[in-house]
Amino acid sequence: MTAYEDLSPYVYEPADPSVTTLNVGWLGRASKFDTGPVDEDVRAALVVLAADHDVNVMRGMHDCELCDRESPIREPLNDRVVALGCSEIHVTADDGVVYAAPTLVIHYIDEHGYLPPQAFTDAVVATMRRLRLEAERGWQAAKERLPLGLEVWGTVTAKMSFGIVLQLDDVPDVVSVVDAISYRPRGDQDELPDAGARVRGVVVDHAEHNWQIKVRVGPAAW
Ligand SMILES: [Zn+2]
C-alpha cells in the first residue's frame, strides 16, 4: 500500500477539488507515527464507518506493511464480520475538511499503537453525530408514514426464532418485525413464512428502543 504522511493532501483517488481532503493513517514500512491510546468510542465508530459507510472499495487488498498479518483482517461487529484493507473511511470535520483513511487504520490502532491526529478523531465524532441525527430523522419520518393501525404489505427478508423481519413496500429503509406471537394469519399462531414470502399486516407498535416497526398478521390475540 502506498504510504502518505498524516495530514498531507489526499491524492489516492479523485476527490472533489472544492473540498480539502487530507490523508490519515496511510502507514508504510518506513512511516514514523505517533502512538498512544485511542478513545474506545472512536475506535468503535471507525468499525461502524468501515462496515456501513466505507468508500472507494477497491478490487485488491491492502496488506499491513508493519507486520505479516494476512489480509483481509477481519473485525467483528455485532453478528457481522468486517473485512479491513479493501476500502477507505472518509470523515468530515465541522469545518468541512474531509479526512481519508484506509480501513486498516483500525488494525494500526489495535496492533501498532497508532495514534491518529486529533483533528481526525474529532471528525470521526462529528460524522457519527451527523449520521445519528440523520437516522433519527429517518425514524421520525418512518413513524409518521406508518401510524398504528395502518395496513401494510411487505416481503419477508429473514425468518428468525423470535419472528420474521419484513421489508415494507412503502418504507423499505425501516426495520419491521412480526413477532412469532403476532403471526396469526388464520387466527391462531402459525408457522412462520420463509424469506421471500409476501405478508400483509397491521402496524401495532413503534419500538423506540431499537427503532423497529412492529407488525401483526391476522386478528389480535387479545
Ligand atoms: Zn500490522
Side-chain angles (χ1 to χ4, degrees):
M1 183 173 93
T2 322
Y4 300 105
E5 205 171 315
D6 275 354
L7 308 183
S8 60
Y10 173 82
V11 291
Y12 195 80
E13 293 275 333
D16 181 347
S18 67
V19 176
T20 302
T21 304
L22 303 178
N23 290 309
V24 166
W26 295 83
L27 305 185
R29 208 162 289 140
S31 296
K32 294 195 173 30
F33 52 88
D34 290 339
T35 58
V38 171
D39 189 275
E40 188 47 44
D41 289 345
V42 169
R43 190 202 168 278
L46 287 171
V47 177
V48 171
L49 292 168
D52 295 330
H53 304 282
D54 60 334
V55 299
N56 293 345
V57 179
M58 342 243 161
R59 269 165 260 147
M61 277 282 158
H62 290 159
D63 288 309
C64 176
E65 293 182 8
L66 309 176
C67 68
D68 46 20
R69 257 308 270 284
E70 225 172 280
S71 286
I73 293 165
R74 295 174 196 282
E75 183 64 38
L77 173 65
N78 302 325
D79 52 354
R80 299 155 62 191
V81 174
V82 186
L84 305 182
C86 41
S87 58
E88 300 173 20
I89 296 167
H90 286 202
V91 290
T92 306
D94 286 334
D95 63 5
V97 173
V98 173
Y99 297 88
T103 52
L104 270 183
V105 71
I106 297 163
H107 166 76
Y108 298 144
I109 289 169
D110 290 351
E111 299 296 328
H112 303 293
Y114 172 60
L115 179 65
Q118 180 74 38
F120 173 73
T121 51
D122 287 350
V124 169
V125 172
T127 298
M128 290 306 283
R129 191 187 60 229
R130 269 181 242 116
L131 287 172
R132 176 84 193 169
L133 259 177
E134 224 173 85
E136 227 162 72
R137 282 194 209 108
W139 169 241
Q140 298 303 336
K143 285 193 293 183
E144 276 166 34
R145 291 192 59 185
L146 298 164
L148 303 188
L150 183 75
E151 186 178 288
V152 288
W153 276 95
T155 303
V156 179
T157 57
K159 180 161 86 167
M160 322 286 267
S161 55
F162 61 81
I164 48 176
V165 181
L166 292 184
Q167 183 174 46
L168 298 179
D169 288 1
D170 297 328
V171 192
D173 294 335
V174 74
V175 178
S176 172
V177 166
V178 182
D179 292 323
I181 197 169
S182 299
Y183 187 74
R184 302 157 43 82
R186 285 179 285 271
D188 287 305
Q189 208 178 318
D190 207 338
E191 197 164 321
L192 296 171
D194 291 317
R198 296 281 296 158
V199 164
R200 184 182 64 171
V202 170
V203 175
V204 288
D205 193 18
H206 301 148
E208 291 290 342
H209 66 288
N210 54 5
W211 290 359
Q212 286 182 353
I213 299 290
K214 297 279 196 180
V215 169
R216 186 190 72 225
V217 175
W222 47 80

